[in-house]
Amino acid sequence: MTSLRQKHRRETLRNLVFLSPWLIGVSVFFVYPLVSTIYFSFMKYDGFRPPTWIGLQNWQYVFTSYPFFWPALRNTLWLVVVMVTLRVLFGLGIGLLITKVKTGAGLFRTAFYLPYLAPPVAATMAFAFLLNPGTGPVNSILGSIGLPQPGWFNDPSWSKPALTMLALWGIGDLMVIFMASLLDVPKEQYEAASLDGAGAWQRFRFVTLPNISPIVLFAVVTGVIQTMQYYTQPLVAGKVASGVIGGAGQQFEPGYPDKSTLTLPQLVYHLGFQRFDTGGASVIALVLFALAMVFTAFLLRSMSERSAV
Amino acid sequence: MTRFLHWVGVHALAIAAALFFVLPFVFVFLTALMSDQQALTRDLWPDTWHWENLRTVWETPGFLTWWKNTLLYAGLGTALTLLSSIPVAYALARFKFRGRNVALMTVIATMMLPAQVVIVPMYLFWAKQLHLSGTLWPLIIPMAFTDAFSVFLLRQFLLTIPKDYVDAAKVDGCGEFKALVRIVLPMAKPAVAAVALFQFFYCWNDYFGPQIYASENSAAWTLSYGLESFKGAHHTNWNLTMAATLLVMAPVIILFFFAQKAFIEGVTLTGVKG
């Protein structure tokens, strides 16, 4: 009995030793700041003078008077619907294509994969140049074949499609994930379907799709979560297109042009670090937290269906 | 005949797709080597090749410092992440204890959490209490206390290693830690390599972190953060901006050619086993 208790105590100690980096990390870098964020959301605090309790005023301000909040939320919705859908469809398409390529598959795979590795700032700067309405190569090609030349990052109705193109360019991760899952589909099922006289579309619809549907779900949910965190690309695109000089102390009103590239994470930075409104920034942070956790719950469910956890 | 047509169709489609992925690199490259004036025109091909643009960027004040900072952040960050995340991932994969499921859920929740959610109190903590703003330490030090994504990825992989190996080692008198280092880690090499690469690129690409903590001190900037200001330093000198873009992309792409397998395995791990 004593030895059993000793063994148990020894195991607990061992667990604590192994887990200690995480236990410290999650308390200091997750629980503590999250609780502080909730606390600050009820405070008036500019980061200098001591905080004072103002109840729900920050919440009221963000939801009713802060002009950037609703546009940012609407943009996120747009990006979720259009960008996530297209990314999943295009990623699946490229994944399918690469499994069919017989000659030079390695070369094609590398070509499709490389843009995913380009640092987001570099990729965004490159696209801001490529899509520059005046001097960019895309519009000069469009012009030379007589097609209309959009304003891309300088036109509020084209800036989100331009961001979507940038996202589609960096599809390499999804391509690899879909490719792996497509290669995992049992060959016999295709053979059986062919024997039953199924055509290419029917084979895709009744064999491929059911087999890869968990991966599609995974791609959709992680895509939505990534969109919630969308920060660097819209910010840099807006800055470069508007000609704002980057660097320390530069004030930039986010969302150029006309709030069309605003996302929620940008608002945390704008309120908290440019306007020194800690309370307002905390409210946005909590909205972001709530949204992220809702979709994380979906993700957990989709993963437990695949018994991955 | 139909088989041949199928072959042609698939490859034509693949070439069209490849153009979409490759042409942006080509245009960035061509513009990077144009003269200042030509970069402002709609020309696609340089009249004369200005290779000295690359040198101009390289010798821009600060550029080398940003390289050093980026290497420090990415190198030290990756090493610390591995050191701290491996034992935690091992414990979450192997040990049974009360609260393990809660711990796992918390790992996944922190993995999915946008960095902006906790940034305000974290900034106040590092800047006002520890006086470390204007440095990269607020970004590096937390990695000594695990990274959720790395823990999760490693744990998913460690689950696939049969328990018998560890049990056999223990029968031979190995302690848990020795078993991890001697038996499990050598088998988990692909996952460790993938995690190291992901973390390295996360740091290399990070824009938000350096913007929050290092923006006030240009001697602490990283390439990702400095690159954007480069555009400012030269206004709309697209040729130099694209040359800088090229120089920031290059290491990532070179590393890819050396570690293709680890990259692909890592991504597959996140999607299929994750």
Side-chain angles (χ1 to χ4, degrees):
Chain A
M1 204 53 203
T2 2
S3 77
L4 203 69
R5 194 174 294 158
Q6 259 174 2
K7 185 171 177 264
H8 183 75
R9 199 176 294 160
R10 228 182 21 241
E11 271 183 6
T12 308
L13 189 69
R14 178 200 68 185
N15 295 348
L16 282 177
V17 169
F18 272 77
L19 289 171
S20 58
W22 178 73
L23 288 172
I24 298 168
V26 83
S27 336
V28 179
F29 306 118
F30 179 64
V31 178
Y32 156 74
L34 201 55
V35 173
S36 306
T37 303
I38 297 171
Y39 167 81
F40 283 136
S41 77
F42 301 109
M43 296 283 160
K44 184 180 172 61
Y45 184 41
D46 59 8
F48 303 101
R49 277 161 298 189
T52 50
W53 177 270
I54 54 164
L56 287 172
Q57 273 181 44
N58 291 322
W59 292 83
Q60 208 175 0
Y61 168 69
V62 163
F63 288 120
T64 60
S65 335
Y66 183 44
F68 287 172
F69 178 74
W70 293 107
L73 205 61
R74 269 199 302 275
N75 288 341
T76 303
L77 201 67
W78 191 100
L79 293 169
V80 164
V81 172
V82 179
M83 195 162 85
V84 175
T85 312
L86 286 180
R87 250 177 70 89
V88 171
L89 289 178
F90 192 52
L92 180 57
I94 294 289
L96 270 170
L97 184 64
I98 198 81
T99 58
K100 300 261 188 292
V101 168
K102 299 284 187 297
T103 314
L107 221 61
F108 281 115
R109 202 179 61 180
T110 305
F112 299 156
Y113 187 74
L114 271 186
Y116 163 68
L117 295 175
V121 176
T124 311
M125 305 254 307
F127 265 63
F129 161 70
L130 294 169
L131 298 175
N132 185 302
T135 59
V138 170
N139 273 8
S140 49
I141 293 171
L142 289 178
S144 68
I145 49 176
L147 287 172
Q149 303 167 53
W152 302 114
F153 287 121
N154 291 88
D155 177 347
S157 52
W158 279 98
S159 56
K160 281 190 283 285
L163 285 172
T164 306
M165 276 174 59
L166 172 58
L168 291 180
W169 189 60
I171 201 108
D173 55 338
L174 278 184
M175 185 259 308
V176 169
I177 289 169
F178 279 126
M179 188 183 74
S181 68
L182 288 166
L183 293 174
D184 272 350
V185 178
K187 291 251 184 324
E188 308 85 64
Q189 293 188 15
Y190 285 117
E191 283 157 17
S194 293
L195 284 178
D196 291 341
W201 166 250
Q202 281 170 319
R203 281 199 302 271
F204 177 75
R205 171 73 190 76
F206 295 107
V207 179
T208 313
L209 217 50
N211 270 293
I212 64 164
S213 67
I215 303 290
V216 174
L217 182 63
F218 175 83
V220 170
V221 180
T222 49
V224 173
I225 295 171
Q226 273 170 23
T227 310
M228 303 277 142
Q229 320 197 4
Y230 206 47
Y231 180 81
T232 307
Q233 289 90 336
L235 177 70
V236 173
K239 275 185 167 185
V240 177
S242 68
V244 166
I245 297 166
Q250 273 296 328
Q251 294 288 316
F252 170 67
E253 189 165 286
Y256 178 87
D258 195 21
K259 304 190 179 102
S260 64
T261 56
L262 277 180
T263 56
L264 287 175
Q266 282 169 277
L267 302 189
V268 177
Y269 182 77
H270 182 241
L271 275 178
F273 294 88
Q274 291 185 307
R275 289 182 32 187
F276 305 108
D277 177 1
T278 303
S282 299
V283 172
I284 307 271
L286 290 173
V287 171
L288 203 53
F289 175 69
L291 286 172
M293 286 308 109
V294 167
F295 286 101
T296 301
F298 279 112
L299 180 69
L300 282 172
R301 183 174 294 180
S302 86
M303 288 197 313
S304 67
E305 268 169 25
R306 290 158 51 207
S307 64
V309 171
Chain B
M1 191 59 192
T2 44
R3 186 169 287 179
F4 176 70
L5 283 180
H6 183 251
W7 187 94
V8 170
V10 163
H11 288 78
L13 211 56
I15 289 169
L19 284 179
F20 170 69
F21 289 103
V22 171
L23 276 183
F25 286 117
V26 174
F27 287 132
V28 167
F29 179 78
L30 292 175
T31 307
L33 300 174
M34 286 180 185
S35 67
D36 295 356
Q37 291 82 16
Q38 205 196 353
L40 290 171
T41 66
R42 289 192 145 198
D43 293 357
L44 299 178
W45 197 262
D47 287 333
T48 40
W49 297 82
H50 291 267
W51 292 99
E52 74 275 9
N53 287 349
L54 293 172
R55 177 193 284 261
T56 308
V57 170
W58 190 259
E59 288 171 352
T60 300
F63 201 67
L64 267 183
T65 315
W66 303 341
W67 267 90
K68 271 185 262 170
N69 292 338
T70 311
L71 280 173
L72 176 83
Y73 175 24
L76 204 54
T78 304
L80 288 174
T81 298
L82 287 180
L83 271 180
S84 59
S85 299
I86 287 170
V88 175
Y90 182 73
L92 288 175
R94 284 273 171 257
F95 303 162
K96 290 208 184 329
F97 54 89
R98 232 163 20 134
R100 194 174 74 154
N101 278 335
V102 178
L104 261 175
M105 298 286 173
T106 315
V107 168
I108 292 168
T110 44
M111 183 167 90
M112 292 305 160
L113 199 71
Q116 286 80 11
V117 172
V118 292
I119 196 64
V120 170
M122 276 338 291
Y123 175 80
L124 295 172
F125 172 72
W126 289 107
K128 307 251 153 157
Q129 268 151 326
L130 301 177
H131 304 287
L132 279 174
S133 62
T135 73
L136 291 169
W137 295 112
L139 301 171
I140 297 171
I141 295 169
M143 292 182 187
F145 301 96
T146 74
D147 162 72
F149 176 70
S150 309
V151 168
F152 181 73
L153 206 84
L154 284 167
R155 183 232 173 218
Q156 295 305 93
F157 187 86
L158 293 180
L159 285 178
T160 64
I161 294 179
K163 204 174 176 334
D164 308 356
Y165 287 100
V166 179
D167 290 342
K170 279 203 225 152
V171 171
D172 291 344
C174 246
E176 200 72 61
F177 191 71
K178 218 172 172 184
L180 166 62
V181 174
R182 292 264 176 86
I183 314 290
V184 177
L185 272 189
M187 297 175 81
K189 257 187 207 150
V192 173
V195 164
L197 278 175
F198 275 130
Q199 193 65 358
F200 192 86
F201 284 115
Y202 170 79
C203 300
W204 190 274
N205 294 339
D206 187 16
Y207 175 86
F208 182 66
Q211 184 191 29
I212 293 293
Y213 293 109
S215 60
E216 63 193 66
N217 173 15
S218 66
W221 288 1
T222 59
L223 282 173
S224 272
Y225 188 70
L227 180 60
E228 181 217 301
S229 81
F230 200 90
K231 189 204 163 282
H234 297 273
H235 298 274
T236 37
N237 280 0
W238 282 114
N239 58 339
L240 294 185
T241 307
M242 288 303 107
T245 302
L246 212 57
L247 285 175
V248 173
M249 284 180 175
V252 184
I253 289 167
I254 292 167
L255 199 60
F256 170 76
F257 283 102
F258 285 106
Q260 279 196 47
K261 217 172 135 243
F263 272 105
I264 304 284
E265 271 175 7
V267 172
T268 317
L269 214 58
T270 59
V272 179
K273 289 175 187 154

